[in-house]
Amino acid sequence: MIVAIDGPAGAGKSSVARGLAERLGFHYLDTGAMYRAVTWLALHEGIPLDDGLALQALAAANPVSFDDGRGVSVAGEDVTARIREPEIDAAVPVVARHPEVREVMRVRQRELGRLGDSVIEGRDIGVVVVPDAEVKVWLVADPAVRARRRHLERDGLEMEELAAELRRRDERDSVNTHRAPDAVEVDTTDLTLDDVIDRVAALVEAAR
Ligand code: DC
């Protein structure tokens, strides 16, 4: 079974998807981490971020892999921590916008999704990557709450700065962020993480 979790940055996708996968014993696939890893590699290798074909070749030659825990590797390097740096936050929407890059990433995402029951989080999972996912969730949250969540993840950045960054990212990511018509919307603003996981787990039960 595939559970697709889509939504904007800071809506709670990663915590919900990871927690749900743990609870159900499903694989967890963070597709944002894959775009981040390719972005890291492009910067590392000096590939121009406006060259879609060069980025596509780079992504095709260097499939991103995950270890059992939270580790992310590309081109033989463990990039788990490095892909969360502000430099990557800024560059990743530019890389993720190229259709040529997305094509390669989707093939890899589907391949990883076929390993077994999986919770896949991203922006286009329910619409493009796995349109026949058995469960589709669209997570949303109030912008102030989303900025606060990112504040907790990223030490040292001011709230106003984060709110502005979030708005910029929403704008840049919007072209690839799609809500499936058959997705169930869950607003996480006033819910605890456990509440959200309970709700999604109930949808999974209903779909079994
Ligand atoms: O969720 P995140 O912040 O780790 O995502 C990183 C970037 O990748 C962000 O710009 C959105 C983009 N992304 C995408 O275009 N499609 C996906 N399926 C997942 C992420």
Side-chain angles (χ1 to χ4, degrees), residues 155-174:
D155 280 351
L157 284 183
E158 293 304 322
M159 281 293 289
E160 299 81 64
E161 224 177 296
L162 278 168
E165 186 219 276
L166 212 52
R167 277 196 297 275
R168 270 197 306 276
R169 293 199 56 205
D170 276 354
E171 226 167 85
R172 291 208 282 183
D173 290 335
S174 64

Side-chain angles (χ1 to χ4, degrees), residues 31-32 35-36 84 92-93 96 102 122-124 169 173 176:
T31 61
Y35 285 100
R36 287 172 179 273
R84 304 294 163 189
V92 63
R102 302 194 72 79
R123 311 293 170 123
D124 58 345
R169 293 199 56 205
D173 290 335
N176 294 310

Side-chain angles (χ1 to χ4, degrees), residues 5 12-30 33 66 68-72 80 84 119-121 139 153 193 197:
I5 310 238
K13 294 189 300 291
S14 296
S15 313
V16 172
R18 196 180 288 130
L20 181 75
E22 228 162 75
R23 191 189 288 187
L24 301 176
F26 282 23
H27 295 284
Y28 162 59
L29 180 58
D30 176 358
F66 293 87
D68 283 345
R70 298 176 176 193
V72 186
T80 312
R84 304 294 163 189
V119 181
I120 309 184
E121 74 155 280
L139 285 188
E153 285 172 9
L193 177 57
I197 295 174

Side-chain angles (χ1 to χ4, degrees), residues 2-208:
I2 299 289
V3 182
I5 310 238
D6 292 302
K13 294 189 300 291
S14 296
S15 313
V16 172
R18 196 180 288 130
L20 181 75
E22 228 162 75
R23 191 189 288 187
L24 301 176
F26 282 23
H27 295 284
Y28 162 59
L29 180 58
D30 176 358
T31 61
M34 297 173 71
Y35 285 100
R36 287 172 179 273
V38 168
T39 301
W40 175 83
L41 189 59
L43 293 175
H44 183 72
E45 307 243 315
I47 309 284
L49 299 190
D50 61 354
D51 189 341
L53 286 176
L55 292 168
Q56 179 182 41
L58 184 77
N62 297 280
V64 177
S65 60
F66 293 87
D67 70 19
D68 283 345
R70 298 176 176 193
V72 186
S73 298
V74 69
E77 296 268 348
D78 179 342
V79 294
T80 312
R82 282 177 273 180
I83 60 171
R84 304 294 163 189
E85 296 290 328
E87 189 192 7
I88 303 295
D89 283 344
V92 63
V94 182
V95 171
R97 221 167 27 213
H98 294 290
E100 300 92 340
V101 173
R102 302 194 72 79
E103 206 180 292
V104 174
M105 301 305 267
R106 280 175 192 144
V107 170
R108 178 77 179 143
Q109 288 158 14
R110 289 181 188 129
E111 200 177 279
L112 293 171
R114 275 195 295 268
L115 294 177
D117 290 333
S118 305
V119 181
I120 309 184
E121 74 155 280
R123 311 293 170 123
D124 58 345
I125 308 306
V127 172
V128 186
V129 179
V130 194
D132 57 353
E134 286 84 351
V135 175
K136 298 183 188 180
V137 177
W138 177 250
L139 285 188
V140 292
D142 183 81
V145 168
R146 292 168 54 209
R148 208 172 310 134
R149 286 177 184 157
R150 283 191 90 77
H151 184 57
L152 295 174
E153 285 172 9
R154 304 272 202 280
D155 280 351
L157 284 183
E158 293 304 322
M159 281 293 289
E160 299 81 64
E161 224 177 296
L162 278 168
E165 186 219 276
L166 212 52
R167 277 196 297 275
R168 270 197 306 276
R169 293 199 56 205
D170 276 354
E171 226 167 85
R172 291 208 282 183
D173 290 335
S174 64
V175 62
N176 294 310
T177 303
H178 305 291
R179 182 192 164 147
D182 52 346
V184 175
E185 179 172 306
V186 178
D187 185 335
T188 68
T189 307
D190 297 315
L191 297 176
T192 66
L193 177 57
D194 270 345
D195 286 340
V196 181
I197 295 174
D198 285 347
R199 287 194 190 192
V200 183
L203 297 173
V204 173
E205 268 320 304
R208 277 196 209 261

